[in-house]
Amino acid sequence: MYFKIVPMRDRGIARSWEEIGRDRPIRGDVNIRHEMCKIMNRDSNIARIRPVMPLDPELLPPLIDAFLSGMATNAFTLSGIEEVDGRLYAQSWYCRPE
């Protein structure tokens, strides 16, 4: 299922709702799988955004240890950890249906 996704943090620092609302959402298919995570050296729930065109690159770094942290009538939030430049940061995705 395709969603409009907006990252809620920048290198672990929370963004304001005004900034999140102004940001252009990423359109993609949210996919969550339980798989081996090389970074953590263990199994993890990993969320990925699959691009609209199959050969396009990933649009955001995957969320490691992904979990549903909030849900309302027309949106939900996935939270977890992302790797950016070899470092791990907290991250959440604000997801709305198209």
Side-chain angles (χ1 to χ4, degrees):
M1 183 172 184
Y2 286 91
F3 292 94
K4 296 177 188 175
I5 303 116
V6 179
M8 298 178 71
R9 296 176 176 270
D10 184 16
R11 294 185 183 256
I13 299 171
R15 300 168 64 203
S16 69
W17 276 107
E18 291 82 21
E19 189 178 356
I20 291 167
R22 282 192 314 262
D23 203 358
R24 184 178 183 162
I26 295 166
R27 181 178 183 262
D29 182 15
V30 176
N31 186 285
I32 303 172
R33 292 187 180 183
H34 190 77
E35 59 188 70
M36 179 62 182
C37 176
K38 293 177 185 176
I39 298 164
M40 304 295 255
N41 196 29
R42 61 174 169 80
D43 286 349
S44 174
N45 288 326
I46 299 178
R48 288 188 168 80
I49 299 173
R50 295 164 69 189
V52 176
M53 299 303 292
L55 297 178
D56 286 349
E58 286 189 336
L59 303 172
L60 287 174
L63 273 184
I64 302 164
D65 288 342
F67 65 97
L68 182 67
S69 58
M71 189 169 198
T73 304
N74 292 318
F76 64 90
T77 303
L78 285 177
S79 295
I81 301 167
E82 70 177 358
E83 179 191 16
V84 178
D85 298 330
R87 295 189 176 173
L88 300 176
Y89 298 97
Q91 181 58 276
S92 294
W93 296 343
Y94 180 64
C95 305
R96 295 173 289 144
E98 278 195 300

